Short mmCIF file of all heavy atoms in Angstrom, two decimals:
data_model
loop_
_atom_site.label_atom_id
_atom_site.label_comp_id
_atom_site.label_asym_id
_atom_site.label_seq_id
_atom_site.Cartn_x
_atom_site.Cartn_y
_atom_site.Cartn_z
N MET U 1 85.52 103.23 134.12
CA MET U 1 86.72 103.87 134.57
C MET U 1 86.51 104.65 135.87
O MET U 1 87.38 105.07 136.57
CB MET U 1 87.29 104.87 133.54
CG MET U 1 87.47 104.25 132.17
SD MET U 1 89.03 103.53 131.68
CE MET U 1 90.26 104.57 132.26
N ALA U 2 85.20 104.94 136.12
CA ALA U 2 84.80 105.63 137.34
C ALA U 2 83.42 105.12 137.76
O ALA U 2 82.75 104.49 136.93
CB ALA U 2 84.80 107.14 137.12
N PRO U 3 82.97 105.41 138.97
CA PRO U 3 81.63 104.99 139.34
C PRO U 3 80.59 105.57 138.41
O PRO U 3 80.73 106.75 137.99
CB PRO U 3 81.46 105.55 140.81
CG PRO U 3 82.89 105.60 141.32
CD PRO U 3 83.71 105.93 140.08
N ALA U 4 79.63 104.81 138.08
CA ALA U 4 78.65 105.17 137.05
C ALA U 4 77.99 106.50 137.39
O ALA U 4 77.78 107.32 136.46
CB ALA U 4 77.57 104.13 136.93
N GLY U 5 77.64 106.81 138.61
CA GLY U 5 77.01 108.00 138.98
C GLY U 5 77.84 109.26 138.77
O GLY U 5 77.31 110.32 138.72
N TRP U 6 79.15 109.10 138.64
CA TRP U 6 80.04 110.23 138.44
C TRP U 6 80.24 110.54 136.97
O TRP U 6 80.54 111.66 136.59
CB TRP U 6 81.41 109.94 139.04
CG TRP U 6 81.51 109.82 140.50
CD1 TRP U 6 80.44 109.79 141.39
CD2 TRP U 6 82.66 109.61 141.25
NE1 TRP U 6 80.95 109.60 142.69
CE2 TRP U 6 82.31 109.46 142.61
CE3 TRP U 6 84.03 109.53 140.94
CZ2 TRP U 6 83.25 109.27 143.62
CZ3 TRP U 6 84.96 109.32 141.97
CH2 TRP U 6 84.53 109.23 143.29
N VAL U 7 80.04 109.55 136.14
CA VAL U 7 80.40 109.70 134.70
C VAL U 7 79.33 110.38 133.92
O VAL U 7 79.61 111.30 133.09
CB VAL U 7 80.71 108.32 134.08
CG1 VAL U 7 80.95 108.45 132.58
CG2 VAL U 7 81.91 107.74 134.78
N GLN U 8 78.08 110.02 134.09
CA GLN U 8 76.98 110.53 133.28
C GLN U 8 76.90 112.09 133.33
O GLN U 8 76.76 112.73 132.29
CB GLN U 8 75.64 109.93 133.68
CG GLN U 8 74.46 110.36 132.84
CD GLN U 8 74.64 109.95 131.37
OE1 GLN U 8 75.00 108.84 131.04
NE2 GLN U 8 74.32 110.88 130.46
N PRO U 9 76.99 112.73 134.48
CA PRO U 9 76.93 114.21 134.46
C PRO U 9 78.03 114.86 133.68
O PRO U 9 77.78 115.84 132.99
CB PRO U 9 77.03 114.60 135.92
CG PRO U 9 76.60 113.35 136.73
CD PRO U 9 77.02 112.20 135.84
N TYR U 10 79.21 114.32 133.65
CA TYR U 10 80.29 114.86 132.86
C TYR U 10 80.07 114.65 131.38
O TYR U 10 80.40 115.54 130.58
CB TYR U 10 81.66 114.25 133.28
CG TYR U 10 82.16 114.76 134.62
CD1 TYR U 10 81.94 113.94 135.78
CD2 TYR U 10 82.70 116.02 134.76
CE1 TYR U 10 82.34 114.47 137.02
CE2 TYR U 10 83.12 116.46 135.96
CZ TYR U 10 82.93 115.73 137.13
OH TYR U 10 83.32 116.18 138.36
N ALA U 11 79.57 113.52 130.97
CA ALA U 11 79.31 113.26 129.56
C ALA U 11 78.28 114.29 129.05
O ALA U 11 78.41 114.80 127.96
CB ALA U 11 78.86 111.87 129.37
N THR U 12 77.28 114.59 129.86
CA THR U 12 76.26 115.56 129.50
C THR U 12 76.78 116.99 129.47
O THR U 12 76.53 117.74 128.55
CB THR U 12 75.08 115.44 130.42
OG1 THR U 12 74.60 114.14 130.42
CG2 THR U 12 73.97 116.38 130.01
N ALA U 13 77.60 117.34 130.49
CA ALA U 13 78.08 118.69 130.60
C ALA U 13 79.09 119.06 129.51
O ALA U 13 79.18 120.23 129.11
CB ALA U 13 78.78 118.86 131.98
N MET U 14 79.84 118.11 128.99
CA MET U 14 80.88 118.39 128.03
C MET U 14 80.21 118.72 126.66
O MET U 14 80.87 119.35 125.79
CB MET U 14 81.83 117.22 127.82
CG MET U 14 82.60 116.94 129.08
SD MET U 14 83.53 118.34 129.70
CE MET U 14 84.78 118.50 128.45
N GLY U 15 78.98 118.36 126.40
CA GLY U 15 78.34 118.65 125.16
C GLY U 15 78.91 117.81 124.00
O GLY U 15 79.75 116.94 124.22
N GLY U 16 78.40 117.99 122.85
CA GLY U 16 78.90 117.22 121.72
C GLY U 16 78.41 115.77 121.73
O GLY U 16 77.57 115.40 122.56
N GLU U 17 78.90 115.01 120.80
CA GLU U 17 78.50 113.62 120.64
C GLU U 17 79.19 112.81 121.76
O GLU U 17 80.43 112.90 121.91
CB GLU U 17 78.91 113.10 119.25
CG GLU U 17 78.11 113.73 118.18
CD GLU U 17 76.74 113.31 118.07
OE1 GLU U 17 76.38 112.15 118.45
OE2 GLU U 17 75.90 114.10 117.59
N SER U 18 78.42 112.07 122.46
CA SER U 18 78.99 111.13 123.46
C SER U 18 78.08 109.90 123.56
O SER U 18 76.95 109.94 123.09
CB SER U 18 79.13 111.83 124.83
OG SER U 18 77.86 112.12 125.34
N LYS U 19 78.59 108.90 124.15
CA LYS U 19 77.83 107.69 124.44
C LYS U 19 78.20 107.22 125.80
O LYS U 19 79.36 107.01 126.11
CB LYS U 19 78.14 106.61 123.40
CG LYS U 19 77.39 105.31 123.63
CD LYS U 19 77.61 104.28 122.56
CE LYS U 19 76.77 103.03 122.81
NZ LYS U 19 76.91 102.09 121.74
N TYR U 20 77.20 107.07 126.64
CA TYR U 20 77.42 106.54 127.97
C TYR U 20 77.10 105.02 127.93
O TYR U 20 76.00 104.65 127.49
CB TYR U 20 76.47 107.28 128.93
CG TYR U 20 76.51 106.66 130.33
CD1 TYR U 20 77.54 106.98 131.17
CD2 TYR U 20 75.53 105.86 130.79
CE1 TYR U 20 77.60 106.46 132.47
CE2 TYR U 20 75.56 105.27 132.06
CZ TYR U 20 76.59 105.64 132.89
OH TYR U 20 76.63 105.12 134.15
N LEU U 21 78.01 104.20 128.37
CA LEU U 21 77.78 102.78 128.36
C LEU U 21 78.30 102.18 129.64
O LEU U 21 79.50 102.31 130.00
CB LEU U 21 78.49 102.11 127.18
CG LEU U 21 78.42 100.60 127.09
CD1 LEU U 21 77.00 100.09 126.88
CD2 LEU U 21 79.37 100.12 126.00
N LEU U 22 77.47 101.54 130.37
CA LEU U 22 77.88 100.83 131.60
C LEU U 22 78.30 99.45 131.16
O LEU U 22 77.39 98.63 130.81
CB LEU U 22 76.78 100.81 132.65
CG LEU U 22 77.12 100.10 133.97
CD1 LEU U 22 78.23 100.80 134.66
CD2 LEU U 22 75.85 100.12 134.85
N ALA U 23 79.55 99.17 131.05
CA ALA U 23 80.05 97.86 130.51
C ALA U 23 79.89 96.76 131.57
O ALA U 23 80.80 96.59 132.43
CB ALA U 23 81.49 98.03 130.07
N GLY U 24 78.82 96.04 131.48
CA GLY U 24 78.53 94.99 132.45
C GLY U 24 77.38 94.13 131.99
O GLY U 24 76.83 94.39 130.87
N PRO U 25 77.03 93.17 132.74
CA PRO U 25 75.94 92.23 132.29
C PRO U 25 74.61 92.92 132.00
O PRO U 25 73.90 92.54 131.12
CB PRO U 25 75.77 91.31 133.52
CG PRO U 25 77.16 91.31 134.16
CD PRO U 25 77.67 92.69 133.94
N SER U 26 74.33 94.02 132.72
CA SER U 26 73.04 94.76 132.42
C SER U 26 73.04 95.37 131.00
O SER U 26 71.99 95.68 130.51
CB SER U 26 72.80 95.82 133.44
OG SER U 26 73.79 96.88 133.34
N SER U 27 74.20 95.50 130.40
CA SER U 27 74.34 96.01 129.02
C SER U 27 74.66 94.89 127.99
O SER U 27 74.98 95.22 126.85
CB SER U 27 75.38 97.06 128.94
OG SER U 27 75.16 98.13 129.83
N GLY U 28 74.57 93.66 128.42
CA GLY U 28 74.83 92.57 127.50
C GLY U 28 76.21 92.03 127.50
O GLY U 28 76.56 91.18 126.72
N PHE U 29 77.09 92.60 128.34
CA PHE U 29 78.46 92.11 128.42
C PHE U 29 78.52 90.86 129.30
O PHE U 29 77.69 90.69 130.20
CB PHE U 29 79.41 93.20 129.00
CG PHE U 29 79.59 94.34 128.06
CD1 PHE U 29 78.65 95.40 128.00
CD2 PHE U 29 80.71 94.44 127.23
CE1 PHE U 29 78.85 96.51 127.12
CE2 PHE U 29 80.88 95.51 126.35
CZ PHE U 29 79.94 96.53 126.32
N ALA U 30 79.50 90.01 129.09
CA ALA U 30 79.65 88.76 129.83
C ALA U 30 80.01 88.93 131.30
O ALA U 30 79.70 88.11 132.10
CB ALA U 30 80.62 87.81 129.13
N GLN U 31 80.66 90.11 131.58
CA GLN U 31 81.14 90.31 132.96
C GLN U 31 81.10 91.78 133.29
O GLN U 31 81.01 92.60 132.34
CB GLN U 31 82.61 89.84 133.06
CG GLN U 31 83.53 90.65 132.18
CD GLN U 31 84.95 90.06 132.10
OE1 GLN U 31 85.10 88.88 131.98
NE2 GLN U 31 85.94 90.97 132.15
N PRO U 32 81.17 92.19 134.53
CA PRO U 32 81.25 93.57 134.84
C PRO U 32 82.70 94.01 134.67
O PRO U 32 83.61 93.36 135.08
CB PRO U 32 80.89 93.64 136.32
CG PRO U 32 81.09 92.27 136.86
CD PRO U 32 80.97 91.36 135.71
N TYR U 33 82.89 95.14 133.90
CA TYR U 33 84.25 95.65 133.59
C TYR U 33 84.66 96.68 134.58
O TYR U 33 83.92 97.61 134.95
CB TYR U 33 84.26 96.24 132.22
CG TYR U 33 84.35 95.20 131.12
CD1 TYR U 33 83.17 94.51 130.70
CD2 TYR U 33 85.52 94.78 130.59
CE1 TYR U 33 83.22 93.52 129.75
CE2 TYR U 33 85.59 93.80 129.66
CZ TYR U 33 84.45 93.19 129.21
OH TYR U 33 84.48 92.17 128.24
N GLY U 34 85.87 96.49 135.12
CA GLY U 34 86.52 97.48 136.01
C GLY U 34 87.43 98.35 135.19
O GLY U 34 87.51 98.26 134.00
N HIS U 35 88.21 99.18 135.91
CA HIS U 35 89.09 100.17 135.29
C HIS U 35 90.02 99.56 134.28
O HIS U 35 90.01 99.95 133.11
CB HIS U 35 89.83 100.83 136.43
CG HIS U 35 90.73 101.95 135.94
ND1 HIS U 35 90.30 103.25 135.76
CD2 HIS U 35 92.07 101.95 135.59
CE1 HIS U 35 91.27 103.95 135.31
NE2 HIS U 35 92.35 103.25 135.22
N LEU U 36 90.84 98.66 134.68
CA LEU U 36 91.79 98.07 133.71
C LEU U 36 91.19 97.04 132.78
O LEU U 36 91.66 96.80 131.68
CB LEU U 36 92.95 97.43 134.45
CG LEU U 36 93.92 98.36 135.17
CD1 LEU U 36 94.94 97.62 135.98
CD2 LEU U 36 94.55 99.28 134.13
N ASP U 37 90.05 96.45 133.17
CA ASP U 37 89.36 95.42 132.38
C ASP U 37 88.94 96.04 131.02
O ASP U 37 88.87 95.28 130.03
CB ASP U 37 88.14 94.89 133.07
CG ASP U 37 88.45 94.10 134.30
OD1 ASP U 37 89.52 93.45 134.33
OD2 ASP U 37 87.67 94.13 135.28
N LEU U 38 88.60 97.32 131.01
CA LEU U 38 88.13 97.95 129.77
C LEU U 38 89.20 97.83 128.63
O LEU U 38 88.81 97.74 127.46
CB LEU U 38 87.76 99.37 129.97
CG LEU U 38 86.48 99.60 130.83
CD1 LEU U 38 86.39 101.01 131.26
CD2 LEU U 38 85.26 99.18 130.06
N GLY U 39 90.43 97.88 128.96
CA GLY U 39 91.48 97.79 127.92
C GLY U 39 92.29 96.54 127.97
O GLY U 39 92.78 96.09 126.95
N LEU U 40 92.32 95.86 129.15
CA LEU U 40 93.20 94.73 129.28
C LEU U 40 92.50 93.44 129.65
O LEU U 40 93.11 92.41 129.75
CB LEU U 40 94.26 95.01 130.37
CG LEU U 40 95.18 96.20 130.13
CD1 LEU U 40 96.10 96.44 131.32
CD2 LEU U 40 96.01 96.01 128.84
N GLY U 41 91.19 93.49 129.84
CA GLY U 41 90.40 92.33 130.23
C GLY U 41 90.47 91.26 129.18
O GLY U 41 90.62 91.49 127.99
N ALA U 42 90.17 90.00 129.61
CA ALA U 42 90.28 88.87 128.75
C ALA U 42 89.28 89.01 127.53
O ALA U 42 89.54 88.52 126.43
CB ALA U 42 90.00 87.60 129.49
N ARG U 43 88.13 89.65 127.75
CA ARG U 43 87.11 89.79 126.75
C ARG U 43 87.04 91.22 126.15
O ARG U 43 86.20 91.49 125.31
CB ARG U 43 85.74 89.40 127.34
CG ARG U 43 85.66 87.98 127.71
CD ARG U 43 84.30 87.71 128.36
NE ARG U 43 84.18 86.40 128.79
CZ ARG U 43 83.33 85.47 128.35
NH1 ARG U 43 82.50 85.80 127.37
NH2 ARG U 43 83.30 84.26 128.84
N ALA U 44 87.96 92.05 126.51
CA ALA U 44 87.92 93.46 126.03
C ALA U 44 87.98 93.57 124.53
O ALA U 44 87.26 94.31 123.91
CB ALA U 44 89.02 94.28 126.67
N ALA U 45 88.86 92.75 123.91
CA ALA U 45 89.01 92.86 122.49
C ALA U 45 87.74 92.42 121.69
O ALA U 45 87.51 92.91 120.61
CB ALA U 45 90.20 91.95 122.04
N THR U 46 86.96 91.55 122.30
CA THR U 46 85.75 91.09 121.60
C THR U 46 84.49 91.81 122.06
O THR U 46 83.47 91.77 121.35
CB THR U 46 85.55 89.59 121.76
OG1 THR U 46 85.49 89.24 123.16
CG2 THR U 46 86.72 88.79 121.09
N GLU U 47 84.52 92.41 123.25
CA GLU U 47 83.26 93.05 123.76
C GLU U 47 83.38 94.57 123.81
O GLU U 47 82.44 95.22 123.46
CB GLU U 47 82.96 92.51 125.16
CG GLU U 47 82.47 91.08 125.19
CD GLU U 47 81.88 90.71 126.54
OE1 GLU U 47 82.40 91.10 127.58
OE2 GLU U 47 80.85 89.99 126.53
N VAL U 48 84.53 95.13 124.24
CA VAL U 48 84.61 96.53 124.45
C VAL U 48 85.11 97.27 123.19
O VAL U 48 84.54 98.26 122.75
CB VAL U 48 85.53 96.86 125.67
CG1 VAL U 48 85.68 98.34 125.86
CG2 VAL U 48 85.00 96.24 126.90
N PHE U 49 86.17 96.73 122.62
CA PHE U 49 86.82 97.39 121.46
C PHE U 49 85.85 97.63 120.31
O PHE U 49 85.84 98.69 119.69
CB PHE U 49 88.06 96.66 121.01
CG PHE U 49 89.21 96.66 122.00
CD1 PHE U 49 90.34 95.94 121.74
CD2 PHE U 49 89.14 97.36 123.19
CE1 PHE U 49 91.40 95.93 122.63
CE2 PHE U 49 90.20 97.28 124.10
CZ PHE U 49 91.29 96.60 123.80
N PRO U 50 84.97 96.59 119.96
CA PRO U 50 84.11 96.85 118.85
C PRO U 50 83.11 97.98 119.07
O PRO U 50 82.74 98.72 118.16
CB PRO U 50 83.36 95.51 118.70
CG PRO U 50 84.33 94.50 119.24
CD PRO U 50 84.97 95.21 120.41
N VAL U 51 82.66 98.13 120.34
CA VAL U 51 81.76 99.26 120.66
C VAL U 51 82.48 100.60 120.45
O VAL U 51 81.91 101.57 119.89
CB VAL U 51 81.32 99.15 122.15
CG1 VAL U 51 80.41 100.32 122.54
CG2 VAL U 51 80.46 97.85 122.36
N ILE U 52 83.71 100.68 120.86
CA ILE U 52 84.49 101.90 120.65
C ILE U 52 84.75 102.16 119.20
O ILE U 52 84.57 103.29 118.69
CB ILE U 52 85.83 101.85 121.44
CG1 ILE U 52 85.61 101.78 122.97
CG2 ILE U 52 86.74 102.97 121.09
CD1 ILE U 52 86.82 101.40 123.76
N LEU U 53 85.14 101.13 118.45
CA LEU U 53 85.36 101.27 117.02
C LEU U 53 84.09 101.71 116.29
O LEU U 53 84.18 102.57 115.42
CB LEU U 53 85.85 99.95 116.40
CG LEU U 53 86.24 99.98 114.95
CD1 LEU U 53 87.36 101.03 114.70
CD2 LEU U 53 86.75 98.62 114.54
N ASP U 54 82.96 101.14 116.64
CA ASP U 54 81.70 101.54 115.97
C ASP U 54 81.39 102.98 116.23
O ASP U 54 80.98 103.74 115.34
CB ASP U 54 80.54 100.70 116.49
CG ASP U 54 80.56 99.27 115.99
OD1 ASP U 54 81.31 98.94 115.05
OD2 ASP U 54 79.81 98.42 116.52
N TRP U 55 81.61 103.43 117.45
CA TRP U 55 81.40 104.88 117.77
C TRP U 55 82.34 105.77 116.96
O TRP U 55 81.91 106.77 116.39
CB TRP U 55 81.57 105.14 119.27
CG TRP U 55 81.04 106.51 119.68
CD1 TRP U 55 79.78 106.85 120.03
CD2 TRP U 55 81.82 107.72 119.69
NE1 TRP U 55 79.70 108.18 120.27
CE2 TRP U 55 80.91 108.75 120.03
CE3 TRP U 55 83.12 108.06 119.32
CZ2 TRP U 55 81.37 110.07 120.14
CZ3 TRP U 55 83.55 109.35 119.45
CH2 TRP U 55 82.68 110.37 119.90
N LEU U 56 83.63 105.40 116.98
CA LEU U 56 84.59 106.21 116.20
C LEU U 56 84.26 106.23 114.72
O LEU U 56 84.35 107.31 114.10
CB LEU U 56 85.99 105.66 116.40
CG LEU U 56 86.60 105.89 117.80
CD1 LEU U 56 87.88 105.07 117.92
CD2 LEU U 56 86.80 107.32 118.11
N ASN U 57 83.86 105.15 114.16
CA ASN U 57 83.52 105.10 112.74
C ASN U 57 82.30 105.92 112.44
O ASN U 57 82.23 106.52 111.33
CB ASN U 57 83.31 103.66 112.26
CG ASN U 57 84.59 102.91 112.09
OD1 ASN U 57 85.65 103.51 111.78
ND2 ASN U 57 84.57 101.59 112.25
N ALA U 58 81.36 106.01 113.36
CA ALA U 58 80.12 106.82 113.16
C ALA U 58 80.40 108.27 113.35
O ALA U 58 79.56 109.08 112.98
CB ALA U 58 79.05 106.30 114.12
N HIS U 59 81.52 108.64 113.90
CA HIS U 59 81.85 110.07 114.21
C HIS U 59 83.15 110.49 113.59
O HIS U 59 83.93 111.18 114.23
CB HIS U 59 81.81 110.24 115.72
CG HIS U 59 80.49 110.01 116.31
ND1 HIS U 59 80.10 108.75 116.77
CD2 HIS U 59 79.45 110.79 116.60
CE1 HIS U 59 78.89 108.82 117.24
NE2 HIS U 59 78.43 110.03 117.15
N GLN U 60 83.33 110.15 112.33
CA GLN U 60 84.56 110.48 111.66
C GLN U 60 84.55 112.04 111.47
O GLN U 60 83.52 112.64 111.13
CB GLN U 60 84.56 109.90 110.19
CG GLN U 60 84.68 108.40 110.24
CD GLN U 60 86.17 107.95 110.37
OE1 GLN U 60 87.04 108.68 109.96
NE2 GLN U 60 86.36 106.83 110.97
N PRO U 61 85.69 112.62 111.67
CA PRO U 61 85.76 114.11 111.43
C PRO U 61 85.63 114.43 109.96
O PRO U 61 86.06 113.57 109.08
CB PRO U 61 87.18 114.51 111.95
CG PRO U 61 87.97 113.23 111.93
CD PRO U 61 87.02 112.13 112.08
N THR U 62 85.15 115.56 109.65
CA THR U 62 85.04 115.98 108.20
C THR U 62 86.20 116.92 107.92
O THR U 62 86.51 117.77 108.72
CB THR U 62 83.69 116.64 107.95
OG1 THR U 62 83.54 117.75 108.85
CG2 THR U 62 82.52 115.68 108.18
N LEU U 63 86.77 116.74 106.75
CA LEU U 63 87.84 117.58 106.33
C LEU U 63 87.25 118.83 105.64
O LEU U 63 86.27 118.73 104.88
CB LEU U 63 88.77 116.86 105.35
CG LEU U 63 89.42 115.65 105.91
CD1 LEU U 63 90.25 114.95 104.84
CD2 LEU U 63 90.39 116.01 107.04
N ARG U 64 87.87 119.98 105.91
CA ARG U 64 87.30 121.20 105.32
C ARG U 64 88.12 121.59 104.10
O ARG U 64 89.26 121.38 103.92
CB ARG U 64 87.38 122.33 106.31
CG ARG U 64 86.45 122.08 107.46
CD ARG U 64 86.61 123.19 108.43
NE ARG U 64 86.02 122.82 109.69
CZ ARG U 64 85.47 123.70 110.51
NH1 ARG U 64 85.47 124.96 110.24
NH2 ARG U 64 84.99 123.26 111.61
#
């Protein structure tokens, strides 16, 4: 969604659980993902969405 060098410092500064992932061939994706490709790309449903779902499932909020 933004240049890689801009994203990592924000992920670290915000604290809490986060995952930095450069969605592209260097990370095992079939193509380099741009801004809209992450949600609307032809392979987003099979490559990007499962990564997001896995993270969300691993970080379920606890009820008090």
Side-chain angles (χ1 to χ4, degrees):
M1 308 268 317
W6 295 5
V7 175
Q8 184 63 45
Y10 287 101
T12 303
M14 297 305 290
E17 294 287 331
S18 66
K19 179 177 181 174
Y20 174 80
L21 176 65
L22 181 60
S26 65
S27 301
F29 291 84
Q31 63 189 43
Y33 282 82
H35 183 85
L36 290 176
D37 296 327
L38 290 167
L40 301 175
R43 295 176 183 244
T46 58
E47 289 194 320
V48 178
F49 295 176
V51 174
I52 296 169
L53 183 59
D54 288 347
W55 191 90
L56 290 171
N57 284 333
H59 297 86
Q60 293 277 332
T62 56
L63 299 176
R64 295 179 194 208

